[in-house]
Amino acid sequence: MEHRWGMRKPLGEEVRIYDNTGVLGRALAVDINLNGLGLECSLDLHEGQVVEIELPEGDFHMRCLVVHSGGNRCGLMFLSISED
């Protein structure tokens, strides 16, 4: 069960996803709020995995925890945000 703390706003932006081994691929960030974002993707992400998300402009990287994964949807919770 996914837990959301606040309403998410539609986003519709493609993001790049990394882990400690390198680039995993790209996904569509469908919605976002201050705590996390929802992805639509075909990547093999699993609950409890820590990944890094890069926004399209490449200016912000967000370290995230995968809190939900099923079908082609994933829910990520922000752990930290950094600027390049």
Side-chain angles (χ1 to χ4, degrees):
M1 172 190 260
E2 185 175 0
H3 301 283
R4 291 187 180 187
W5 299 291
M7 297 295 296
R8 290 193 180 178
K9 297 188 188 269
L11 187 58
E13 294 283 337
E14 190 175 81
V15 296
R16 234 183 310 191
I17 303 174
Y18 303 83
D19 70 2
N20 58 350
T21 65
V23 178
L24 296 175
R26 295 179 183 270
L28 179 65
V30 293
D31 52 33
I32 191 167
N33 71 11
L34 292 175
N35 299 306
L37 70 149
L39 296 180
E40 198 171 271
C41 70
S42 59
L43 300 173
D44 185 25
L45 301 179
H46 57 274
E47 293 177 20
Q49 182 177 7
V50 175
V51 295
E52 189 167 317
I53 303 296
E54 179 183 270
L55 292 178
E57 299 82 25
D59 295 337
F60 290 96
H61 294 263
M62 294 168 277
R63 191 171 173 89
C64 303
L65 175 67
V66 179
V67 294
H68 167 77
S69 181
N72 67 340
R73 296 294 298 256
C74 294
L76 306 180
M77 179 177 72
F78 296 140
L79 299 175
S80 65
I81 298 175
S82 62
E83 283 186 80
D84 278 347

